[in-house]
Amino acid sequence: MLTNKINMKNENLQLGVGGLVLVVWRLTVFSMMVTVAMCYVYNPLRKAAKRGEVNFLYFLFIDAERFFGIATTFVTFILGFFNATVFSRWWQLRVLCGTVNGRSVDTACMISAYVVNGRDALQKRKELLRYLALGHALHAMSASDSGLDLEQLVKLGLIDTTKNKSEYEALNIANSPNFNVAYAWFLQKFAQCIEEGNISNKVGNTIMQRYKIIL
């Protein structure tokens, strides 16, 4: 749900209201007006220079033309490296977010299939899946403009406030990224399931190896 809201917001930014054109149109119109004004000023100076009549303003335009010619080459060279670096970092983040999403789904499927033994297996399985979904939701919130909204997570049932508000308070005052707290709760609960025999050590270690990629 949270991921869908973020995707819809990004699509609106690119295609609809609040798109790139609506953001830069004022600067574009201003640049066009300045360019037209400079052309009207420079054209009489250019015609006068052909007749041998030159002045300080004409040389100012000539020097500005040479300066911008050099600056354009320099800026193009710098922006080439800048764009490559920015795109590389953006693509790496995109890959990592996809990895977190995919591994979270894989881990949830394995928990649903293998945490079936022992006492209170159903309840523990639900707790593990809730912590996993909570970590994923907090990760999505950290990338959204709205930021952290614990009340929404309570309404979605991802934060348990029926017994006490320790989870709510811990996430509210956490110094580290909130999703790390949720993933730590998941690891603690999962280790408890292994100790109590809700899942075999072999399968538990396999799931832990997959989970390390998320972290």
Side-chain angles (χ1 to χ4, degrees), residues 73-85:
T73 303
F74 175 75
V75 170
T76 302
F77 180 76
I78 296 299
L79 286 180
F81 284 104
F82 177 77
N83 290 339
T85 302

Side-chain angles (χ1 to χ4, degrees), residues 194-195 199-207:
I194 295 177
E195 293 178 358
I199 187 172
S200 65
N201 290 330
K202 182 178 179 180
V203 176
N205 291 332
T206 302
I207 295 178

Side-chain angles (χ1 to χ4, degrees), residues 14-32:
Q14 296 173 1
L15 303 176
V17 178
L20 183 60
V21 175
L22 296 179
V23 173
V24 303
W25 74 269
R26 293 182 179 85
L27 180 60
T28 303
V29 172
F30 175 77
S31 301
M32 292 174 58

Side-chain angles (χ1 to χ4, degrees), residues 14-57:
Q14 296 173 1
L15 303 176
V17 178
L20 183 60
V21 175
L22 296 179
V23 173
V24 303
W25 74 269
R26 293 182 179 85
L27 180 60
T28 303
V29 172
F30 175 77
S31 301
M32 292 174 58
M33 294 175 62
V34 171
T35 302
V36 172
M38 290 296 101
C39 290
Y40 275 103
V41 173
Y42 176 69
N43 192 47
L45 296 175
R46 179 180 60 83
K47 292 180 179 180
K50 290 182 178 181
R51 299 191 300 267
E53 302 174 2
V54 295
N55 54 27
F56 172 77
L57 190 58

Side-chain angles (χ1 to χ4, degrees), residues 78-92:
I78 296 299
L79 286 180
F81 284 104
F82 177 77
N83 290 339
T85 302
V86 170
F87 179 80
S88 177
R89 293 180 178 178
W90 173 84
W91 187 260
Q92 182 65 21

Side-chain angles (χ1 to χ4, degrees), residues 12-208:
N12 290 334
L13 179 62
Q14 296 173 1
L15 303 176
V17 178
L20 183 60
V21 175
L22 296 179
V23 173
V24 303
W25 74 269
R26 293 182 179 85
L27 180 60
T28 303
V29 172
F30 175 77
S31 301
M32 292 174 58
M33 294 175 62
V34 171
T35 302
V36 172
M38 290 296 101
C39 290
Y40 275 103
V41 173
Y42 176 69
N43 192 47
L45 296 175
R46 179 180 60 83
K47 292 180 179 180
K50 290 182 178 181
R51 299 191 300 267
E53 302 174 2
V54 295
N55 54 27
F56 172 77
L57 190 58
Y58 172 78
F59 287 113
L60 185 63
F61 272 93
I62 296 299
D63 292 340
E65 179 183 3
R66 294 174 180 174
F67 169 77
F68 283 116
I70 298 174
T72 300
T73 303
F74 175 75
V75 170
T76 302
F77 180 76
I78 296 299
L79 286 180
F81 284 104
F82 177 77
N83 290 339
T85 302
V86 170
F87 179 80
S88 177
R89 293 180 178 178
W90 173 84
W91 187 260
Q92 182 65 21
L93 180 61
R94 181 180 183 276
V95 172
L96 291 176
C97 288
T99 300
V100 171
N101 186 39
R103 296 295 180 177
S104 296
V105 173
D106 292 345
T107 305
C109 291
M110 296 182 72
I111 289 173
S112 300
Y114 293 108
V115 182
V116 294
N117 302 320
R119 189 178 64 178
D120 298 330
L122 177 61
Q123 181 62 30
K124 292 176 182 177
R125 187 164 66 245
K126 289 181 178 180
E127 285 291 298
L128 288 171
L129 294 176
R130 182 174 67 83
Y131 285 139
L132 194 61
L134 176 60
H136 189 66
L138 289 170
H139 188 269
M141 280 187 170
S142 67
S144 67
D145 296 333
S146 58
L148 182 64
D149 187 356
L150 296 181
E151 296 297 334
Q152 183 181 4
L153 296 177
V154 173
K155 293 178 181 179
L156 293 173
L158 298 180
I159 297 179
D160 186 11
T161 57
T162 55
K163 299 178 181 179
N164 53 61
K165 291 190 176 182
S166 58
E167 293 182 359
Y168 186 97
E169 294 172 354
L171 292 173
N172 194 32
I173 64 174
N175 294 325
S176 61
N178 303 66
F179 51 84
N180 285 341
V181 177
Y183 287 139
W185 291 338
F186 172 87
L187 290 175
Q188 183 180 12
K189 192 70 176 181
F190 189 75
Q192 180 184 352
C193 291
I194 295 177
E195 293 178 358
E196 296 180 359
N198 298 109
I199 187 172
S200 65
N201 290 330
K202 182 178 179 180
V203 176
N205 291 332
T206 302
I207 295 178
M208 290 293 288

